[in-house]
Amino acid sequence: MKLGKWIELPKISDPRGNLTFIENSKHIPFDIKRVYYLYDVPAGVARGGHAHINLTQVAVALSGSFDFLLDNGFEKERYTLNSPYKGLLIQNSTWREMENFSSGSVCLVLASNAYSEDDYIRNYETFLQSCKKG
Ligand code: T46
């Protein structure tokens, strides 16, 4: 079972460099309600460590590389993001941890909802209980 799904984004190359674009309904399987990005992450630091009750997201490594560890309570998978034209789709009810941020890396995230702390499960035991209940 794949916990994350790769989304190939368009890449327009010419002698001036590359250009990638993202259109709501064309490339992203939800209406984008929020965009945020992680940057200046110090070496050796991990982020995440939570799941979302009702949030789908696509993460893109705009620069550099980092890993997403995804966990559905039964299985875990590691995804390395290192390409600005590849997005990783992460569904709700998926525990995620991010680590191995390279120097200068930038993680862009497109989200299906506005920010709400009520949507977070930040305790791993609570997350496992919710997975068992289905
Ligand atoms: C996720 C991973 C990939 C806001 O006020 N608005 C926002 O849109 C976000 C994302 C965060 N915040 C606040 C909440 C916290 O006080 O910023 C602070 C840091 O957030 P957090 O510790 O949740 O950051 P990460 O990097 O651990 O997780 C973030 C997202 O929160 C999360 O949804 O999937 O990136």
Side-chain angles (χ1 to χ4, degrees), residues 61-73:
L62 290 190
S63 178
S65 67
F66 41 84
D67 291 346
F68 265 73
L69 284 162
L70 302 184
D71 174 351
N72 65 2

Side-chain angles (χ1 to χ4, degrees), residues 114-134:
Y115 172 74
S116 166
E117 187 58 37
D118 292 345
D119 189 66
Y120 284 72
I121 304 175
R122 291 194 184 270
N123 179 288
Y124 190 64
E125 286 308 314
T126 307
F127 168 70
L128 288 180
Q129 290 303 322
S130 73
C131 295
K132 280 181 197 154
K133 281 185 204 152

